[in-house]
Amino acid sequence: MANTTGDPTNGGGAHRIEAGRDRWQRRYDSARKRDADFTTLSGRTLEPAYGPRPGAEVPGFERIGWPGEYPYTRGLYPTGYRGRAWTIRQFAGFGNARQTNERYKMILAQGGGGLSVAFDMPTLMGYDSDSAQALGEVGHCGVAIDSVADMDLLFDGIPLGETTTSMTISGPAIPAFCMYLVAAERQGVDIGGLNGTLQTDIFKEYIAQKEWLYPPEPHLRLIGDLMEYCAEHIPAFKPLSVSGYHIREAGATAAQELAYTLADGFGYVELGLSRGMDIDRFAPGLSFFFDAHIDFFEEIAKFRAARRIWARWIRDTYGAKTEKAQWLRFHTQTAGVSLTAQQPYNNVVRTAVEALSAVLGGTNSLHTNALDETLALPTEQSAEIALRTQQVLMEETGVVNVADPLGGSWYVEALTDEIEAEAERIFEHILQMGGGADAEHRIGPMTSGILAGIENGYFSSEIAESAFQYQQALEKGDKRIVGVNCHTETVSGELDILKISHEVEHEQKRVLAERRSARDTGTVDRALARLLEGVRADDGNLIPLIMDAARAEATLGEICATMGQEFGTYTEDPQF
């Protein structure tokens, strides 16, 4: 079990606090800062960070610390957002690749700092658009991607070597990523310099979102191959975004979201270690994806606790020595589940509050939901409002001026400690489900506990119980949602929403048929046969073989089905 006492070299005595302040000041002075005005609206000069008054003793201050220092409760960088503001990364995808490409160009032209790809349901499940399972779903909840040709169109006119790209996909993440790599090759980009994030996190699929392709072990094999490949060939690209967002959206509490997500992260660390990888080399390639829900201070505390827990476990339990390996870097999306169809303009307020909690919690990048996303995919107007929400926070509110401005708040620090303690209790339970930390494990003790919890329904039942309790509180009126169970009168009318024409599906199928007839069938068949041989060999990295199949214009469905011949399928046991 991880040490929970913090760093003994940085206690709460006055001399240690002053020594920490001096260390922070030196690091701040030597760091790059943005050329910007860091004063209040009234012109008041602000310090870059605040702490105890000189000479003060603060018991337990080692658990709070200074920005940019272990345990990183107050952020990863001594400069906070003075060094670099968070990345505005708006999640988008709908219809076909050409339509989504136009939306991406709009986002980038209006100040977006990176792209985040939303895929449609058939793509998320590894089906081609002409599959019987895809009927009626093509292009409806994201963009349809069937082959590299779609990736070419998706990023047409967008230089991938200069644009960070996030892809929210897990089951078929590795084939989709290989198609992205081939699209970059076709642009003439050196793939070794690509930067971005692939979600890939399969644990959260079994826990919450339920979009898997194979049993857990084959997925873990593919993820291990991806981790090795990126560490060796694409060092800036993060092959895993460990996702709590979908866990929270399924009904988990803040502490459950935090604990299940970090436990999954520990499982992927164990996967890397089991393959003989150097933790100080691969751990910086792990990033996280959290939900920013509506309870403002609880969310801020959750983000602060996440950094502290991760740093301690990675250092003390898994042996990471470098700062970058101990850093928890995370993307945040405002809570889709908090949006309401009733009085949808209220969603602009909710999103702004949630985004502010993410920023005050130190997020590294952020997506803000559009007001109409509870009804349909965002229109251009609602997408612009969502983007402008971040820009107002960044440019007008002063939140970028001071690192961790809520650090030292009695309320926030108490909440941070409470959420951390609850997460630690959950970690202990997961470890015990796997036989305990001292038992023999094929990959590692946390991984064994996660796999046991997936099989016995622990995660699903705990989340279901939390969701049920919240729903009961809503129906009793103990918890309130404006426009739903209170303040229900309104003068606003219905929204004009984005509708995806059925013609999108017909056209995608037509184009896919043309591509199949135009490609070299023999080359495709040989590439898929080599991939199947590689899967059956149970050794060697599968990434190059999947890339070869993508280069031959094999479709996503063909690649996934080929691997499925050996990997098989997975059916969840029902829990009652």
Side-chain angles (χ1 to χ4, degrees), residues 47-48 284:
E47 296 296 327

Side-chain angles (χ1 to χ4, degrees), residues 238-272:
K238 297 167 186 61
L240 260 167
S241 176
V242 190
S243 177
Y245 185 85
H246 309 89
I247 293 170
R248 188 65 177 281
E249 294 284 293
T253 66
Q256 287 172 332
E257 175 197 359
L258 174 63
Y260 298 166
T261 307
L262 294 188
D264 290 350
F266 299 146
Y268 295 124
V269 168
E270 292 174 351
L271 176 63

Side-chain angles (χ1 to χ4, degrees), residues 202-224:
I202 206 63
F203 284 143
K204 64 90 175 171
E205 297 296 344
Y206 300 108
I207 290 172
Q209 199 172 27
K210 314 302 182 184
E211 292 172 3
W212 59 75
L213 271 62
Y214 316 119
E217 288 77 7
H219 274 299
L220 290 177
R221 176 186 171 186
L222 286 167
I223 292 169

Side-chain angles (χ1 to χ4, degrees), residues 43-286:
R44 188 181 308 278
T45 300
L46 296 170
E47 296 296 327
Y50 289 82
R53 293 183 181 278
E57 294 192 12
V58 182
F61 186 74
E62 71 279 359
R63 294 170 57 74
I64 302 172
W66 296 92
E69 286 202 351
Y70 181 93
Y72 309 107
T73 309
R74 304 195 65 188
L76 304 181
Y77 310 110
T79 55
Y81 292 132
R82 286 194 179 195
R84 179 182 176 183
W86 69 91
T87 299
I88 297 175
R89 190 183 299 282
Q90 289 299 97
F91 186 51
F94 65 94
N96 59 36
R98 180 65 70 191
Q99 292 169 307
T100 300
N101 174 264
E102 293 171 0
R103 177 65 61 86
Y104 287 166
K105 288 175 178 175
M106 183 202 84
I107 290 171
L108 293 172
Q110 295 188 356
L115 299 176
S116 185
V117 183
F119 297 94
D120 70 357
M121 187 57 69
T123 305
L124 291 171
M125 298 303 297
Y127 297 127
D128 291 331
S129 295
D130 59 357
S131 167
Q133 289 86 348
L135 185 63
E137 294 292 338
V138 175
H140 280 271
C141 69
V143 63
I145 298 294
D146 291 315
S147 70
V148 177
D150 287 316
M151 282 287 187
D152 293 337
L153 289 172
L154 186 65
F155 297 112
D156 181 44
I158 299 172
L160 291 178
E162 303 170 17
T163 307
T164 61
T165 304
S166 170
M167 289 182 278
T168 302
I169 187 168
S170 292
I174 282 81
F177 178 64
C178 290
M179 291 179 178
Y180 162 80
L181 295 182
V182 175
E185 287 178 345
R186 292 178 177 179
Q187 284 191 3
V189 174
D190 176 7
I191 65 170
L194 292 173
N195 196 347
T197 305
L198 186 67
Q199 188 166 99
T200 319
D201 176 12
I202 206 63
F203 284 143
K204 64 90 175 171
E205 297 296 344
Y206 300 108
I207 290 172
Q209 199 172 27
K210 314 302 182 184
E211 292 172 3
W212 59 75
L213 271 62
Y214 316 119
E217 288 77 7
H219 274 299
L220 290 177
R221 176 186 171 186
L222 286 167
I223 292 169
D225 285 354
L226 180 69
M227 291 170 65
E228 288 181 345
Y229 189 87
C230 286
E232 182 68 26
H233 301 287
I234 319 174
F237 205 96
K238 297 167 186 61
L240 260 167
S241 176
V242 190
S243 177
Y245 185 85
H246 309 89
I247 293 170
R248 188 65 177 281
E249 294 284 293
T253 66
Q256 287 172 332
E257 175 197 359
L258 174 63
Y260 298 166
T261 307
L262 294 188
D264 290 350
F266 299 146
Y268 295 124
V269 168
E270 292 174 351
L271 176 63
L273 292 173
S274 73
R275 288 187 167 225
M277 298 176 68
D278 180 352
I279 189 170
D280 288 307
R281 187 176 182 187
F282 76 79
L286 302 177

Side-chain angles (χ1 to χ4, degrees), residues 268-345:
Y268 295 124
V269 168
E270 292 174 351
L271 176 63
L273 292 173
S274 73
R275 288 187 167 225
M277 298 176 68
D278 180 352
I279 189 170
D280 288 307
R281 187 176 182 187
F282 76 79
L286 302 177
S287 65
F288 288 80
F289 174 23
F290 289 115
D291 195 302
H293 219 300
I294 195 64
D295 194 314
F296 186 70
F297 290 104
E298 184 175 57
E299 295 304 289
I300 295 167
K302 177 188 74 181
F303 298 132
R304 299 171 86 252
R307 277 191 299 270
R308 187 158 76 200
I309 294 169
W310 182 257
R312 185 177 65 249
W313 275 70
I314 293 301
R315 186 188 74 170
D316 297 348
T317 301
Y318 295 112
K321 297 178 175 61
T322 65
E323 283 193 335
K324 286 189 176 182
Q326 297 166 19
W327 285 354
L328 182 142
R329 286 171 287 199
F330 67 96
H331 172 73
T332 310
Q333 181 174 340
T334 56
V337 74
S338 73
L339 306 181
T340 64
Q342 302 93 325
Q343 301 181 24
Y345 291 106

Side-chain angles (χ1 to χ4, degrees), residues 451-472:
L451 293 174
I454 290 167
E455 288 299 322
N456 66 28
Y458 162 76
F459 296 107
S460 296
S461 61
E462 290 293 302
I463 292 170
E465 179 61 27
S466 296
F468 177 67
Q469 290 179 6
Y470 178 66
Q471 188 62 34
Q472 279 189 313

Side-chain angles (χ1 to χ4, degrees), residues 297-480:
F297 290 104
E298 184 175 57
E299 295 304 289
I300 295 167
K302 177 188 74 181
F303 298 132
R304 299 171 86 252
R307 277 191 299 270
R308 187 158 76 200
I309 294 169
W310 182 257
R312 185 177 65 249
W313 275 70
I314 293 301
R315 186 188 74 170
D316 297 348
T317 301
Y318 295 112
K321 297 178 175 61
T322 65
E323 283 193 335
K324 286 189 176 182
Q326 297 166 19
W327 285 354
L328 182 142
R329 286 171 287 199
F330 67 96
H331 172 73
T332 310
Q333 181 174 340
T334 56
V337 74
S338 73
L339 306 181
T340 64
Q342 302 93 325
Q343 301 181 24
Y345 291 106
N346 297 345
N347 295 333
V348 177
V349 181
R350 294 185 179 103
T351 295
V353 169
E354 292 162 359
L356 184 57
S357 75
V359 170
L360 292 176
T363 193
N364 301 104
S365 63
L366 178 62
H367 165 87
T368 33
N369 289 328
L371 67 96
D372 51 359
E373 286 193 61
T374 190
L375 298 166
L377 293 165
T379 63
E380 282 196 4
Q381 182 181 34
S382 66
E384 180 180 273
I385 293 170
L387 174 63
R388 294 290 183 246
T389 300
Q390 292 203 49
Q391 291 167 333
V392 169
L393 290 177
M394 187 180 290
E395 305 292 350
E396 299 183 30
T397 63
V399 293
V400 296
N401 292 342
V402 176
D404 188 36
L406 293 178
S409 157
W410 292 337
Y411 178 36
V412 170
E413 298 301 350
L415 271 179
T416 303
D417 290 346
E418 289 172 14
I419 290 174
E420 179 183 21
E422 187 173 349
E424 290 290 346
R425 290 192 290 271
I426 294 172
F427 295 151
E428 182 60 32
H429 184 80
I430 294 172
L431 286 169
Q432 292 306 314
M433 284 194 298
D438 297 327
E440 289 293 323
H441 304 278
R442 185 175 66 83
I443 294 177
M446 192 65 79
T447 306
S448 294
I450 293 166
L451 293 174
I454 290 167
E455 288 299 322
N456 66 28
Y458 162 76
F459 296 107
S460 296
S461 61
E462 290 293 302
I463 292 170
E465 179 61 27
S466 296
F468 177 67
Q469 290 179 6
Y470 178 66
Q471 188 62 34
Q472 279 189 313
L474 281 179
E475 293 179 8
K476 291 177 182 177
D478 297 336
K479 298 292 185 185
R480 294 189 168 196

